[in-house]
């Protein structure tokens, strides 16, 4: 790997972990001794779950399980601890101020594995990553390859697995990138511009601010292999609290079924309590995007249940990020996940 590749990899780890030395310290401290989950006054196992951002529809299944009592019925007392980034999740797991974590994609799990942190993904509630490209509905646009000569607005492209995939599979080049810090106006002003973002939020923002519905191309439809909506668990915690972990995953799967197909109003009320800036129309649009694009119950979920993961998908995603210099090529990708705690396993 080139010096640039090493630097980019280091930057990616720093961005995801926010100080992986904490996780490494945790590896030495808790790797051998028994880790018992705390219990509340009612005898329920207390699980503090760290998220990598404010409450949103992408956490809908967890909030639906809270609202319906799915966790309590399984003897769990679940508390969501909102953070600002994947680094916040890693630090809370390392310090023992959270038992479990939520992560947007598998890059977090690979970054932890690369640092030797004893943490693995134990469920993936997004069978499809929400990464997408948005454009105006232009005649003659058949697919991603028709966009490779247009200006692309994408935040943090240098450390984005989605951008690496677009370059490797759809002919995109770094020369197409334009500076982007979240302001939609440059996209709205340029009819040829391409916006890289999430199908769960950006089409709604464009419609609200720009007055038109964009053409949205979900990368997963073209073969982008990333999972999303991951649950992360320290290895020692999972080992010593397997029943509680399986119960959490089963309750969260129940929550996602309710959020996708049932009345989501109670879950949305909890989400908005945690994130007052989020409007009800935005939540409704995000939930519709989750449902219409099969993010939660598409793919292998139909065969193996919600939260399912396969070794083939993890290996495909690792091949992508390692070839792009976003994960060490010598990393054992199997260290990033385990399916031992999914329903029907163990």
């Amino acid at each position: 790997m080139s010096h640039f590749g090493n630097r980019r990899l280091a930057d990616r780890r720093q961005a995801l972990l926010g100080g992986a030395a904490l996780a490494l310290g945790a590896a030495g401290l808790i790797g051998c001794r028994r880790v018992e989950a705390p219990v509340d006054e009612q005898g329920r196992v207390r699980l503090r779950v760290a998220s990598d951002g404010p409450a949103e529809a992408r956490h809908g299944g967890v909030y639906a399980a809270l609202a319906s009592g799915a966790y309590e019925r399984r003897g769990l007392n679940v508390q969501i601890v909102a953070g600002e980034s994947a680094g916040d999740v890693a630090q809370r797991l390392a310090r023992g101020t959270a038992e479990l974590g939520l992560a947007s994609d598998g890059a977090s799990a690979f970054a932890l594995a690369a640092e030797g942190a004893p943490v693995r993904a134990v469920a993936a509630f997004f069978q499809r990553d929400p990464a997408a490209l948005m454009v105006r509905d232009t005649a003659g646009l058949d697919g991603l390859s028709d966009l490779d000569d247009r200006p692309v607005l994408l935040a943090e492209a240098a450390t984005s697995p989605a951008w690496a995939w677009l370059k490797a599979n759809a002919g995109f080049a770094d020369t197409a990138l334009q500076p982007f810090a979240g302001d939609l106006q440059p996209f709205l002003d340029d009819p040829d511009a391409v916006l890289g973002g999430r199908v769960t939020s950006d089409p709604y923002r464009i419609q609200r601010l720009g007055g038109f519905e964009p053409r949205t191309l979900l990368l997963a439809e073209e073969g982008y292999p990333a999972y999303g909506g991951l649950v992360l668990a320290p290895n020692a915690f999972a080992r010593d609290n397997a029943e509680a972990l399986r119960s959490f995953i089963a309750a969260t799967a129940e929550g996602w079924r309710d959020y996708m197909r049932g009345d989501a109003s109670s879950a949305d009320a909890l989400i908005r309590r945690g994130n007052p800036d989020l409007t009800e129309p935005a939540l409704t649009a995000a939930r519709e995007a989750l449902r219409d694009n099969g993010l939660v119950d598409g793919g292998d979920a139909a065969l193996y249940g919600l939260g399912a993961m396969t070794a083939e998908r993890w290996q495909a995603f690792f091949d992508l990020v390692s070839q792009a210099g976003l994960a060490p090529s010598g990393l054992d990708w199997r260290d990033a996940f385990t399916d031992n705690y999914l329903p029907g396993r163990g």
Side-chain angles (χ1 to χ4, degrees), residues 207-222:
Q207 191 168 22
R208 183 172 62 86
L209 296 176
F212 67 92
E213 184 174 352
R215 172 88 176 268
T216 301
L217 302 173
L218 187 70
L219 302 193
E221 288 278 6
E222 306 293 331

Side-chain angles (χ1 to χ4, degrees), residues 182-258:
D183 179 9
L184 283 182
Q185 200 58 49
F187 171 75
L188 300 177
D189 290 343
D190 184 351
D192 292 326
V194 178
L195 177 69
R198 288 176 174 169
V199 71
T200 49
S201 57
D202 289 301
Y204 173 79
R205 291 178 63 213
I206 293 168
Q207 191 168 22
R208 183 172 62 86
L209 296 176
F212 67 92
E213 184 174 352
R215 172 88 176 268
T216 301
L217 302 173
L218 187 70
L219 302 193
E221 288 278 6
E222 306 293 331
Y224 182 55
Y227 284 121
L230 300 179
V231 178
L232 303 177
N235 295 350
F237 175 86
R239 177 196 66 206
D240 297 334
N241 302 274
E243 182 179 355
L245 180 54
R246 290 192 179 98
S247 294
F248 175 82
I249 293 172
T252 304
E254 179 181 324
W256 273 114
R257 282 191 291 270
D258 292 345

Side-chain angles (χ1 to χ4, degrees), residues 48-320:
R48 295 162 296 182
V49 182
S51 71
D52 60 356
E56 296 177 1
R58 65 191 177 98
H59 309 123
V62 179
Y63 284 96
L66 282 171
S68 70
Y71 293 126
E72 289 187 280
R73 288 194 296 273
R74 291 170 172 82
L76 304 177
N77 177 355
V78 172
Q79 174 191 1
I80 308 301
V81 184
E84 297 294 332
S85 67
D88 290 342
V89 175
Q91 290 184 34
R92 287 187 181 278
L93 294 177
R95 290 171 176 154
T97 57
E99 283 71 45
L100 300 174
L102 304 178
S104 297
D105 62 47
S108 297
F110 286 135
L112 287 163
E115 295 294 343
V119 176
R120 291 183 176 181
V122 294
F125 284 105
F126 285 4
Q127 291 297 302
R128 293 172 151 191
D129 189 283
L133 298 182
M134 275 68 67
V135 297
R136 294 181 187 271
D137 194 4
T138 306
L141 176 61
D142 295 323
L144 293 174
S145 59
D146 296 318
L147 302 174
D148 60 4
D149 60 349
R150 297 193 185 191
V152 179
L153 286 74
L154 178 65
E156 300 178 353
T159 58
S160 167
W163 181 245
W165 183 87
L166 283 166
K167 291 194 293 182
N169 293 274
F172 285 68
D174 288 332
T175 53
L177 289 171
Q178 301 291 318
F180 181 63
D183 179 9
L184 283 182
Q185 200 58 49
F187 171 75
L188 300 177
D189 290 343
D190 184 351
D192 292 326
V194 178
L195 177 69
R198 288 176 174 169
V199 71
T200 49
S201 57
D202 289 301
Y204 173 79
R205 291 178 63 213
I206 293 168
Q207 191 168 22
R208 183 172 62 86
L209 296 176
F212 67 92
E213 184 174 352
R215 172 88 176 268
T216 301
L217 302 173
L218 187 70
L219 302 193
E221 288 278 6
E222 306 293 331
Y224 182 55
Y227 284 121
L230 300 179
V231 178
L232 303 177
N235 295 350
F237 175 86
R239 177 196 66 206
D240 297 334
N241 302 274
E243 182 179 355
L245 180 54
R246 290 192 179 98
S247 294
F248 175 82
I249 293 172
T252 304
E254 179 181 324
W256 273 114
R257 282 191 291 270
D258 292 345
Y259 196 66
M260 290 291 93
R261 304 298 174 185
D263 181 0
S265 58
S266 296
D268 283 348
L270 287 181
I271 292 172
R272 293 189 65 200
R273 187 183 304 171
N275 186 2
D277 293 335
L278 195 57
T279 66
E280 187 61 38
L283 272 173
T284 299
R287 188 170 57 256
E288 289 175 352
L290 288 169
R291 184 170 54 242
D292 294 347
N293 290 281
L295 266 65
V296 174
D297 53 9
D300 291 324
L303 293 174
Y304 306 120
L306 300 187
M309 303 181 294
T310 68
E312 291 78 11
R313 283 279 299 279
W314 275 100
Q315 185 173 19
F317 188 57
F318 174 73
D319 289 344
L320 163 67

Side-chain angles (χ1 to χ4, degrees), residues 37-47 69 71-78 244:
V39 177
D40 68 13
E41 293 83 355
Q42 286 76 44
R44 300 171 299 181
V45 176
R46 188 187 70 185
L47 296 178
Y71 293 126
E72 289 187 280
R73 288 194 296 273
R74 291 170 172 82
L76 304 177
N77 177 355
V78 172

